[in-house]
């Protein structure tokens, strides 16, 4: 039995030497499938929170990525000592400006976009509005479903709202404002699931 197995064992012993002589490593699997993607879709590196805090108030805005809403970090400037009512409007305007800004190069590479257009402003409530109402220079109903979802989810998750997952928005006219909610469906499908809303008439 030992003599019969000898040729086979010798063959196995010689095989690695032959492969090595050809420049092939028997234990490696080829992995040359071209260059790796520069950035995973909808994934950004962790921000430097300490650096952001030095530039202003850390906030988050919702951008579009992969047909859904994804939160990204931003900062807005609010002067120290600003009254609460004015602070809410300043934060809201800062968030609006960040939503309308062109995404950074890294964000573009990761697939982020925005449907919010520049030039829009926000102001505080009118006399008969709820105290937490925000008035946009464009009627909310004139915005695309994507832009409205971005605004509602960004505002409702910030110091511009009451922190209950909703925000009261109105337009520049006398139409009563409405309370809009940011739901899981809105975040997952902003193009087809519009933020649910209900009319509010007083504070």
């Amino acid at each position: 039995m030992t003599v019969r197995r000898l040729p086979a064992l010798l063959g196995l012993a010689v095989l690695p030497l032959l492969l090595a002589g050809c420049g092939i490593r028997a234990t490696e699997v080829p992995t040359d499938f071209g260059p790796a993607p520069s950035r995973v879709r909808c994934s950004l590196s962790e921000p430097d929170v300490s650096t952001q805090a030095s530039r202003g108030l850390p906030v988050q805005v919702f951008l579009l990525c992969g047909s859904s809403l994804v939160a990204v970090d931003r900062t807005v400037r609010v002067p120290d000592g600003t009254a609460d009512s004015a602070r809410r409007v300043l934060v809201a305007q800062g968030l609006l400006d960040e939503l309308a800004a062109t995404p950074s190069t890294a964000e573009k590479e990761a697939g982020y976009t925005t449907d919010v257009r520049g030039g829009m402003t926000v102001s505080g409530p009118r006399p008969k509005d709820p105290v937490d109402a925000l008035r946009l220079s464009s009627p909310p109903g004139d915005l695309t479903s994507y832009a409205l979802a971005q605004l509602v989810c960004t505002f409702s998750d910030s110091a511009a709202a009451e922190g209950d997952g909703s925000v009261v928005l109105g337009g520049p006219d006398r139409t009563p404002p409405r309370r809009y909610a940011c739901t899981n469906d809105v975040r997952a499908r902003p193009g087809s699931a519009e933020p649910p809303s209900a009319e509010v008439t007083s504070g």
Side-chain angles (χ1 to χ4, degrees), residues 91-108:
V91 170
Q93 185 64 58
L95 293 170
L96 184 57
D97 293 341
E98 291 295 333
L99 285 171
T102 302
S104 67
T105 300
E107 289 166 347
K108 287 181 180 178

Side-chain angles (χ1 to χ4, degrees), residues 57 59-60 62 76 78 84-96 122-125 130-135 150-170 178-182:
L57 176 70
V59 295
Q60 286 189 322
F62 282 87
V76 297
V78 179
D84 288 345
S85 57
R87 180 184 178 87
R88 288 181 56 256
V89 175
L90 286 176
V91 170
Q93 185 64 58
L95 293 170
L96 184 57
V122 60
S123 59
V131 294
D132 59 343
L134 296 170
R135 288 276 181 174
Q150 285 183 260
L151 284 173
V152 169
C153 289
T154 296
F155 285 164
S156 65
D157 193 40
S158 75
E162 297 298 315
D164 62 353
S166 69
V167 61
V168 179
L169 295 177
R178 301 182 69 84
R179 183 174 293 278
Y180 294 85
C182 177

Side-chain angles (χ1 to χ4, degrees), residues 61-75:
V61 300
F62 282 87
L63 298 182
L64 299 167
C65 193
S67 300
S68 63
L69 295 182
V70 182
V72 298
D73 294 297
R74 291 286 193 272
T75 59

